[in-house]
Amino acid sequence: TVNNTDVEDEDAFDAPAPKARGRPRKVVDEADKPKATRGRKKADDSAAPAKGKARQTTLDEVEVKPKPPSFDPVENTELAQAYPDPYWQELLSKNSDRIDLIDEEHPLELLPYTITDQMALTGLALSPDGTMLATLGSTGHVHVWDTDTFECLATLRDKSEPNIDEFFVGQFTPNSEYLVVGGKLKDRKRWSEADEDNHILPCPLKVFNVLTGEVVARLEGHSEEILCVKSVVFKGENYLVTTSQDGYIRRWHMDSSWVVLQGTMEISDGITCMAFTVSFLPHTGNRYFIASTDDHLTLMDLEQCVIVQRFDPIYSSYCDCGKFIEPLEEPVFQTLASESADATTSASGQQPPVAPSGTYAYFITRGVELLDAEDNTVSSRPNTCTLHRLVYPTERDGKFELQEIRRYHHEEYLSNSWLIRIASNGRYILAPTLNGQVFVFSIATGQVTGILRDHDTIEVRDCKFHPTKNLLFTCGDDGTIKAYKSTLRDANSLTADATAGGSVKEERVEDPDTPKTVAVSP
């Protein structure tokens, strides 16, 4: 079954196609590095004449900055008990048919549904009940698909928008009635030489009614591309949290319908250039979240809209995706003796961290490295995904500790392009690449247990495990969505493989109509 969606807005193609997103930064000498700016470089106002005469500031006029909020374990425990979070409940459900194992005995099978679109697909969003899959991309359309039949249920587009929409991210509201989307808004009549694209405009969040296709709310606040949107309930109130290429993270307080804005606040520090993703800390009542910002992670307080703690850089260019997970197997700490040097870019020589006695949670990240200084074509360090353990403070005013547990790497894992998202089901990490592949890493051991090679050889942008069905989805710049299911290989075929010498890879086939999924034995 082939589902091809038609683009209704031909005017969306008035402007030339935008340049590829996600170019990593080049290595430059320290003296040549520009000072940090938020997103695009702002106009230089240094030539503006000074007004009036400066006067000396007295001590009474010096503003004393308030002390950063402390993390109180007792208060946090009470909050978590009053507002328990529902994370990973599907992992414990006996009625769930979600994908559990991916290995030589349980390979992934590409389903015979080719869902295509006439645009590069940047993001995926699943409805809370798992019945709908939304795809977002560069033509300003959102398509909503049935996850049983893979038929297109709706096409959402802001018909009143005079400029050019590109949607990167989306989030269904808890009742699945609305879909909140964000991305880039470009001036149809102005060109930017700096971006080699249409001039960027302030980028709003748009809330679509999924049934009628109408835009029921437009939330203004970000000056550049919106890169992430999350919905969350905190102390019984509804909130959206967004990140942007303008360097800001914004909290939107919504009413009970998720349509009417009650108020908005900005979380800023004057330092962050780009903010990518957010993920909420388990067992904190949704008060705290970690944001992927520039090349590191930042811990933030949703209630106070302030930064609690900033952690050391993880990657040399960008840390563009991070999320909390619940491992189904205890991960093995990576040591120099157990892994190659290439796979231990920062963990080399580390001693295993002391097992925490209090609360902790696991967190995975992926990132982009600076380009090689010699020819600026390859990354200066191998691309990796990283597993961290965040240890919560046990005393008031204590600090969180971010422990690196292991790096995930393969010589063919090439992912040095930002705006790529990883996913996990608690046992594996799905890690897309810039050349059409998706690697499956075992969280516990770090081994590659599968490689998906069914997209064209350009960026795969997003991937999702279905929370209850035997399905996972991938999408990319080739304009296709691939759907897979986990299967069980026949015992006779496994025996034949073992007799033949235990081959760990299936032979690649060049027939374009033949799935090129590869199963790798652990």
Side-chain angles (χ1 to χ4, degrees):
T1 300
V2 179
N3 293 318
N4 294 307
T5 57
D6 296 324
V7 175
E8 299 174 7
D9 183 15
E10 295 181 356
D11 289 339
F13 295 96
D14 285 353
K19 299 188 73 175
R21 289 179 293 274
R23 289 202 177 102
R25 297 182 291 180
K26 300 177 181 179
V27 171
V28 294
D29 293 335
E30 289 295 327
D32 296 331
K33 284 187 177 181
K35 293 182 179 180
T37 60
R38 294 181 177 277
R40 289 171 179 76
K41 188 176 181 181
K42 303 297 187 293
D44 183 8
D45 59 357
S46 60
K51 296 183 178 180
K53 183 179 179 181
R55 66 181 180 84
Q56 186 175 358
T57 303
T58 65
L59 290 177
D60 291 337
E61 295 173 320
V62 174
E63 180 182 356
V64 178
K65 294 184 178 180
K67 183 181 178 181
S70 62
F71 179 87
D72 187 339
V74 175
E75 179 183 334
N76 181 73
T77 298
E78 294 173 353
L79 183 63
Q81 291 174 347
Y83 302 98
D85 56 59
Y87 306 142
W88 310 302
Q89 288 183 354
E90 68 271 10
L91 299 180
L92 305 176
S93 174
K94 295 181 179 179
N95 299 323
S96 174
D97 194 30
R98 70 195 311 270
I99 292 177
D100 182 29
L101 297 173
I102 305 173
D103 52 29
E104 188 177 33
E105 188 176 351
H106 306 83
L108 293 173
E109 177 184 315
L110 179 66
L111 296 179
Y113 301 97
T114 303
I115 309 173
T116 63
D117 215 321
Q118 297 179 10
M119 61 179 174
L121 294 172
T122 311
L124 299 170
L126 277 166
S127 61
D129 61 5
T131 61
M132 296 182 290
L133 175 73
T135 57
L136 306 104
S138 59
T139 65
H141 294 73
V142 179
H143 295 109
V144 181
W145 309 87
D146 187 305
T147 57
D148 283 327
T149 64
F150 298 99
E151 295 179 352
C152 187
L153 300 176
T155 298
L156 311 178
R157 169 177 162 269
D158 185 359
K159 298 179 181 179
S160 65
E161 177 59 66
N163 293 296
I164 303 172
D165 266 326
E166 293 184 13
F167 296 133
F168 296 168
V169 292
Q171 174 82 59
F172 282 92
T173 55
N175 61 4
S176 301
E177 185 177 357
Y178 302 104
L179 180 66
V180 185
V181 301
K184 178 191 290 188
L185 185 63
K186 301 184 295 186
D187 192 323
R188 192 179 295 278
K189 299 179 181 180
R190 291 179 61 193
W191 183 256
S192 169
E193 293 294 339
D195 293 334
E196 298 183 24
D197 195 3
N198 287 65
H199 181 75
I200 186 76
L201 295 171
C203 301
L205 273 179
K206 295 185 177 183
V207 183
F208 283 93
N209 182 304
V210 176
L211 183 61
T212 67
E214 296 180 8
V215 176
V216 296
R218 180 184 175 111
L219 310 181
E220 305 278 358
H222 285 294
S223 62
E224 298 186 30
E225 294 94 320
I226 294 173
L227 304 180
C228 176
V229 56
K230 292 284 186 183
S231 63
V232 67
V233 177
F234 174 64
K235 291 185 175 180
E237 297 292 320
N238 297 336
Y239 295 92
L240 298 171
V241 180
T242 54
T243 66
S244 172
Q245 193 165 335
D246 62 16
Y248 296 106
I249 296 172
R250 185 170 284 275
R251 184 192 75 181
W252 314 81
H253 185 191
M254 309 301 291
D255 74 343
S256 59
S257 70
W258 292 92
V259 171
V260 179
L261 179 65
Q262 305 292 301
T264 180
M265 287 189 68
E266 191 176 80
I267 305 175
S268 64
D269 57 5
I271 298 175
T272 300
C273 297
M274 296 180 69
F276 295 100
T277 63
V278 298
S279 186
F280 282 83
L281 274 66
H283 314 305
T284 64
N286 287 333
R287 177 174 176 177
Y288 301 96
F289 65 89
I290 280 187
S292 301
T293 53
D294 295 336
D295 57 1
H296 59 274
L297 300 174
T298 305
L299 178 63
M300 300 187 175
D301 184 330
L302 177 72
E303 185 172 42
Q304 302 296 327
C305 282
V306 294
I307 293 174
V308 176
Q309 189 173 337
R310 195 188 310 276
F311 299 98
D312 292 336
I314 303 170
Y315 306 98
S316 60
S317 185
Y318 295 119
C319 175
D320 66 343
C321 185
K323 54 186 62 180
F324 284 97
I325 65 169
E326 178 75 4
L328 297 177
E329 301 174 81
E330 190 65 22
V332 178
F333 176 76
Q334 178 189 48
T335 64
L336 186 61
S338 64
E339 300 288 346
S340 67
D342 284 344
T344 55
T345 54
S346 66
S348 301
Q350 279 189 344
Q351 295 297 319
V354 178
S357 58
T359 304
Y360 63 91
Y362 285 101
F363 192 80
I364 55 174
T365 61
R366 61 139 269 142
V368 180
E369 307 293 352
L370 291 172
L371 292 178
D372 185 86
E374 184 173 336
D375 56 13
N376 288 316
T377 58
V378 297
S379 59
S380 56
R381 300 193 300 186
N383 292 128
T384 62
C385 297
T386 308
L387 176 68
H388 313 265
R389 184 165 60 198
L390 182 70
V391 182
Y392 297 21
T394 56
E395 299 180 354
R396 183 181 175 86
D397 293 328
K399 292 289 186 181
F400 285 81
E401 181 184 1
L402 189 67
Q403 303 171 341
E404 183 173 312
I405 303 301
R406 72 160 42 247
R407 295 261 177 151
Y408 302 88
H409 171 67
H410 186 275
E411 60 182 6
E412 295 182 13
Y413 174 61
L414 305 175
S415 192
N416 214 45
S417 177
W418 64 274
L419 206 57
I420 288 178
R421 301 177 185 89
I422 54 179
S424 175
N425 68 343
R427 198 180 300 277
Y428 304 98
I429 297 174
L430 296 181
T433 70
L434 54 75
N435 58 358
Q437 302 183 93
V438 180
F439 277 73
V440 184
F441 292 105
S442 166
I443 292 175
T445 67
Q447 293 171 320
V448 176
T449 64
I451 305 173
L452 310 180
R453 294 190 172 111
D454 300 298
H455 284 277
D456 292 344
T457 54
I458 52 179
E459 280 88 348
V460 179
R461 294 291 180 184
D462 203 357
C463 50
K464 297 282 186 188
F465 280 99
H466 196 284
T468 57
K469 298 178 182 178
N470 180 13
L471 288 171
L472 71 81
F473 305 96
T474 62
C475 74
D477 284 358
D478 61 359
T480 66
I481 303 101
K482 306 295 184 183
Y484 299 88
K485 70 175 182 179
S486 179
T487 61
L488 179 63
R489 287 188 66 184
D490 182 80
N492 293 331
S493 63
L494 290 172
T495 303
D497 281 351
T499 304
S503 174
V504 298
K505 281 192 177 182
E506 299 173 1
E507 289 294 326
R508 290 283 308 270
V509 288
E510 299 304 325
D511 182 352
D513 295 326
T514 304
K516 295 180 282 294
T517 300
V518 176
V520 183
S521 64

